[in-house]
């Protein structure tokens, strides 16, 4: 999957896990460039590009019966 996408579009932040998903929080290093989109998507893994730039995106998941917390980060570019 590419690590760039166009402004005013959505980026699916691909995350793999095993077990039940209890929660997903996605943070961005600069909310002026990209935000976690929870309004218009069917999945909690979408980020919306607000302006051009490069941003660090981190997904924090709570999964499984033991409610383990996992995180994954990626640098993405909005063009």
């Amino acid at each position: 999957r590419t690590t760039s996408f166009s402004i005013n579009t959505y980026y699916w932040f691909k995350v793999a896990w095993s077990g039940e998903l209890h929660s997903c929080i996605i943070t961005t290093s600069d909310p002026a460039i990209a935000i976690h989109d929870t309004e218009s998507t069917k999945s909690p893994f979408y980020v919306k590009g607000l302006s051009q730039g490069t941003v660090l995106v981190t997904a924090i998941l709570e999964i499984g019966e033991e409610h383990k917390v996992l995180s994954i980060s990626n640098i993405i570019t909005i063009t």
Side-chain angles (χ1 to χ4, degrees):
R1 173 132 170 111
T2 182
T3 57
S4 67
F5 67 109
S6 300
I7 191 171
N8 291 321
T9 61
Y10 297 92
Y11 178 83
W12 180 54
F13 192 69
K14 187 174 181 179
V15 178
W17 77 91
S18 177
E20 182 179 358
L21 177 65
H22 299 287
S23 68
C24 171
I25 298 169
I26 295 180
T27 61
T28 62
S29 61
D30 189 342
I33 295 175
I35 59 168
H36 182 200
D37 182 78
T38 58
E39 297 297 318
S40 62
T41 62
K42 296 178 184 178
S43 165
F45 301 110
Y46 280 88
V47 175
K48 183 176 183 179
L50 301 177
S51 62
Q52 292 181 337
T54 300
V55 64
L56 176 68
V57 178
T58 302
I60 303 165
L61 308 175
E62 181 183 353
I63 61 167
E65 289 181 14
E66 297 173 359
H67 293 260
K68 291 183 180 181
V69 176
L70 303 175
S71 67
I72 185 169
S73 298
N74 200 2
I75 296 172
I76 58 173
T77 301
I78 295 93
T79 57

